[in-house]
Amino acid sequence: MTIDILIAILATAITAGTPILYAALGEILTERAGILNLGVEGMMLVGAVSGFIAAFHTSSPWTGIIVAMFAGGAMASIHALLTITLRANQTVSGLSLTIFGIGLSGYLGKPIVGTPLETSFKALELPILSSIPFIGPIMFKQDALVYLSYIIVLVMWFFIYRTKTGLNLRAVGENPAAADSLG
């Protein structure tokens, strides 16, 4: 295997893994708050198909991203309503949302199966960083969503471990009774 093939495989892996990273970052927040969310896959599927439909009809990938965020957020709101407000079992609610998301995304996506998007995100080369041997082409010749994920990872780390709100979030998730006793 030549070095060019290895670089192409690793660069593609980063691009393909970015949506999973976004979902994992959201899941980290919910887990730190003490909520078990097994419905992430369903939320991702509904967000993905909604975003694709929006991007297809508007020819704007950014519109697709915004619609995907709202659709995934709507699914998360259902989970919050069931588990926090109605005190439903978190495991049952999450698994139900996954199954519901699989079915809903399949239903909504059936008419557009095999339809290509006319526009997509283009790779952006960061001037100095993209010329670093081996790492440059892998990490710094990506699209804007990948670069945004790099920033969000750092912001989330800072939020969780370096802010008072992050400390409160961790305290509630690790020991809700102790956090409740402190108000």
Side-chain angles (χ1 to χ4, degrees):
M1 180 183 315
T2 66
I3 194 75
D4 293 334
I5 294 173
L6 181 61
I7 288 172
I9 290 171
L10 293 175
T12 303
I14 287 177
T15 303
T18 299
I20 296 168
L21 175 62
Y22 281 117
L25 290 172
E27 183 64 15
I28 286 170
L29 280 180
T30 59
E31 290 290 331
R32 287 293 185 172
I35 296 173
L36 176 65
N37 184 4
L38 298 176
V40 175
E41 292 85 358
M43 294 172 196
M44 286 178 63
L45 286 169
V46 170
V49 75
S50 300
F52 182 88
I53 291 169
F56 178 75
H57 288 296
T58 63
S59 297
S60 168
W62 286 107
T63 303
I65 293 295
I66 292 168
V67 169
M69 288 171 34
F70 279 109
M75 292 287 286
S77 296
I78 294 170
H79 183 62
L81 173 73
L82 292 172
T83 59
I84 297 170
T85 306
L86 302 177
R87 303 264 187 220
N89 184 301
Q90 294 177 9
T91 304
V92 173
S93 172
L95 291 175
S96 299
L97 277 176
T98 295
I99 294 167
F100 175 68
I102 291 169
L104 182 61
S105 65
Y107 175 75
L108 293 175
K110 190 139 180 105
I112 56 169
V113 169
T115 306
L117 280 178
E118 294 176 11
T119 62
S120 64
F121 290 100
K122 305 293 183 221
L124 306 171
E125 293 186 24
L126 297 182
I128 297 170
L129 297 173
S130 64
S131 61
I132 298 172
F134 191 72
I135 293 184
I138 296 170
M139 300 283 294
F140 303 113
K141 288 185 180 178
Q142 299 285 347
D143 62 54
L145 293 176
V146 174
Y147 297 134
L148 184 62
S149 74
Y150 297 162
I151 294 167
I152 291 175
V153 166
L154 296 174
V155 169
M156 287 267 302
W157 170 84
F158 184 82
F159 170 73
I160 292 172
Y161 292 106
R162 298 288 184 245
T163 65
K164 184 176 180 178
T165 307
L167 176 64
N168 291 337
L169 179 79
R170 288 183 292 142
V172 167
E174 291 172 10
N175 194 344
D180 190 45
S181 69
L182 294 173

